[in-house]
Amino acid sequence: QVQLVESGGGLVQAGGSLRLSCAASGSIRRINAIGWYRQAPGKQRELVARRNSSGNTNYADSVKGRFTISRDNAKTTEYLQMNSLKPEDTAVYYCNAEGIWTTAEKFITGAWGQGTQVTVSS
């Protein structure tokens, strides 16, 4: 089994920063891509940032220049650094792993974390 656990959410004032973490556990040999998504109340889940195994990244237009996705290979942890936060960034943030190969050569289409709440006050 593969598990993703997000952390680092909280309440912050507009203009502030937060760093979200996504820790992956399980018998993982390779993950094709990791993405951060968010879902605000009454809205659809949307992609915020994504990084593939080649290191290529893409960001939603609304967060470009403010958010950065990165990885700590040693800890198999993915981060989302969020700066200059705005009230419209308020949402539950989810980590998603796409295309997981386990050490037993089993392929798992994807996995989601449980989400972490980010609230930005004005």
Side-chain angles (χ1 to χ4, degrees), residues 4-12 18-23 35-41 45-46 48 67 77-82 85 88-96 112-120:
L4 302 177
V5 178
E6 301 99 333
S7 61
L11 173 64
V12 64
L18 283 174
R19 188 177 77 160
L20 304 184
S21 300
C22 172
W36 285 97
Y37 291 74
R38 66 187 180 188
Q39 187 166 19
R45 191 172 297 190
E46 62 174 356
V48 175
F67 291 12
T77 300
E78 199 82 10
Y79 300 102
L80 184 67
Q81 178 67 42
M82 307 186 296
L85 283 161
E88 50 263 45
D89 294 318
T90 295
V92 178
Y93 283 71
Y94 298 90
C95 178
N96 171 257
W112 288 91
Q114 83 289 349
T116 185
Q117 176 70 46
V118 171
T119 303
V120 184

Side-chain angles (χ1 to χ4, degrees), residues 19-38:
R19 188 177 77 160
L20 304 184
S21 300
C22 172
S25 63
S27 302
I28 301 170
R29 182 174 68 82
R30 172 190 167 92
I31 298 175
N32 288 345
I34 292 280
W36 285 97
Y37 291 74
R38 66 187 180 188

